[in-house]
Amino acid sequence: MRTVALLATLALFGCRPPSSTPRRPALDFDALPGPRAFSAEATLLERWAGPLKASHDAGQRGSFKGVGGVDIAWLVHRVPAEKAAVVLLTGRTEPVRKYAELLDDLNRAGFSTFAMDHRGQGASGRMLPNPQKGYVGSFDDYVTDVHTFISTVVRPATDKKVFVVAHSMGGAVAVLASDLYPTDADGMVLSSPMLEINTGGFPAPIASTLGAAACGATDGSDYAVGSSDFREETDLEKSTVTKSVARFEWKRQLFTESPELRLGGLTWRWLCESLTASSYAEQLGRYATTPALILQAGQDSVVKPGGQRRYCEASPVCQLSVIEAALHEHYAERDELRNVAVERTLKFLEAEVAR
């Protein structure tokens, strides 16, 4: 945690002045014009077998060398007369392909999309002999990769504003990147950002102590307690991320069609790095200058709401929007919940384009 640790030290000792950006009034999403219905569950599998999959696969593909020479895969969909560019950052285990619906919704709304797979997952390079292990050497590497992507791929391709839409782990990466590289993005929408990890039966201090001990004694590449290679989810009732039957089945189909995209559980190193990074990220609200909308899931059991709330309360340019009935994955939820998340995402982006 090289750079992130430095930021935390400066914050702790008061060496960084807080943001002088004036506090923004909250958007009234109900009063703003715009569509309220988007990609539908009822036709998802049919569309994936036809136009949705075809349009997704028609995007421009490429890669760049991330930190340590790891190949970082990206996928771009340009639209004519684009309003702005949107950079998509996924959560842990998620390939870009899982966001085909959202990318299509954004494209239809006039936004070109630039999506990248984080190191160690999706179509990007894996760092361990067992490609199933969820691993990162340093959380900083995620942040640096995003900066490289925006500065070398996204910004040279557009003269419009650039926004970030990020989920879970991607949200923590986006917060840290916005602090280190404040001119990279003009705004960000954070879906269930990982600003306070739910460590389950282990209180966070104990989880941190266990992780630190494992990482100190070894290279941290072993699976953490309870983790293993990819295991297919078969029971929607046990899902912690969605209540949508169609989107649950579609995700299963995606990993069956493309087994190379699968990722298993987390390693001790990922746990050590992520607990530290998320703890630091939530403290950065007071320094924030990048406008942000946080979509908080009221039924989230993957990340806790406290970190999101503390970040947004401290930030003069953050708005917190709670979707009470949603589980962790807003963009993969039932239509009545997902539509709200997409609607608020687009209205926030439209408002920022107009500023």
Side-chain angles (χ1 to χ4, degrees):
M1 298 304 301
R2 301 175 298 273
T3 307
V4 174
L6 174 60
L7 288 174
T9 300
L10 291 174
L12 179 64
F13 290 101
C15 299
R16 297 181 65 197
S19 172
S20 59
T21 304
R23 182 163 291 276
R24 287 191 176 190
L27 293 174
D28 183 349
F29 292 109
D30 291 333
L32 292 172
R36 295 176 180 269
F38 305 93
S39 181
E41 292 172 278
T43 60
L44 175 57
L45 293 178
E46 178 185 348
R47 284 182 293 114
W48 181 245
L52 180 59
K53 185 175 183 180
S55 63
H56 184 76
D57 288 344
Q60 178 190 358
R61 297 180 184 276
S63 66
F64 64 91
K65 294 294 183 183
V67 176
V70 175
D71 285 323
I72 307 298
W74 52 260
L75 177 66
V76 173
H77 293 88
R78 303 299 300 273
V79 298
E82 66 186 15
K83 297 175 181 177
V86 172
V87 175
L88 175 70
L89 303 179
T90 68
R92 197 192 83 82
T93 79
E94 295 183 314
V96 164
R97 198 167 184 80
K98 184 172 175 283
Y99 283 80
E101 270 192 298
L102 180 62
L103 294 174
D104 187 60
D105 287 329
L106 289 165
N107 292 156
R108 290 177 182 274
F111 295 92
S112 291
T113 53
F114 295 74
M116 59 167 275
D117 279 320
H118 296 293
R119 60 180 46 239
Q121 63 186 60
S124 289
R126 313 282 172 114
M127 286 81 73
L128 298 178
N130 180 356
Q132 291 281 305
K133 290 184 173 181
Y135 175 86
V136 69
S138 169
F139 209 92
D140 279 349
D141 295 346
Y142 290 135
V143 177
T144 303
D145 289 344
V146 170
H147 172 61
T148 301
F149 182 49
I150 292 176
S151 60
T152 66
V153 178
V154 183
R155 284 289 185 185
T158 182
D159 59 357
K160 305 293 186 180
K161 289 184 177 181
V162 173
F163 301 106
V164 169
V165 173
H167 175 65
S168 195
M169 184 189 83
V173 174
V175 167
L176 293 165
S178 71
D179 192 75
L180 276 172
Y181 309 105
T183 61
D184 275 3
D186 297 287
M188 52 189 182
V189 178
L190 309 175
S191 160
S192 304
M194 190 183 75
L195 302 184
E196 184 179 358
I197 298 173
N198 186 351
T199 52
F202 295 95
I206 295 177
S208 295
T209 300
L210 289 172
C215 292
T218 71
D219 63 3
S221 64
D222 290 336
Y223 276 124
V225 174
S227 290
S228 67
D229 284 357
F230 178 85
R231 288 180 289 199
E232 183 180 30
E233 294 180 278
T234 58
D235 188 353
L236 177 63
E237 294 300 317
K238 295 180 180 179
S239 175
T240 59
V241 297
T242 182
K243 299 172 186 174
S244 169
V245 175
R247 294 187 173 102
F248 180 83
E249 291 300 327
W250 180 51
K251 182 172 75 170
R252 291 181 62 200
Q253 180 178 323
L254 289 181
F255 287 119
T256 299
E257 292 176 349
S258 304
E260 73 280 3
L261 299 179
R262 294 173 178 175
L263 186 65
L266 51 92
T267 59
W268 286 112
R269 175 60 62 190
W270 187 92
L271 180 63
C272 294
E273 293 292 318
S274 297
L275 284 171
T276 304
S278 59
S279 176
Y280 291 159
E282 76 157 76
Q283 301 176 41
L284 296 176
R286 76 189 84 170
Y287 310 112
T289 58
T290 303
L293 169 66
I294 289 182
L295 297 175
Q296 186 176 94
Q299 305 300 314
D300 202 334
S301 63
V302 178
V303 298
K304 293 184 176 182
Q308 299 166 7
R309 185 179 63 253
R310 288 187 289 272
Y311 175 87
C312 216
E313 287 176 349
S315 169
V317 288
C318 179
Q319 178 172 349
L320 182 70
S321 181
V322 182
I323 302 177
E324 292 290 354
L327 294 183
H328 184 60
E329 295 182 1
H330 294 98
Y331 299 127
E333 260 290 10
R334 301 193 314 265
D335 282 353
E336 63 266 29
L337 303 173
R338 182 181 186 276
N339 284 341
V340 175
V342 177
E343 175 195 359
R344 292 177 184 176
T345 297
L346 291 177
K347 286 181 176 179
F348 175 84
L349 295 176
E350 295 278 4
E352 292 302 317
V353 167
R355 285 187 186 274

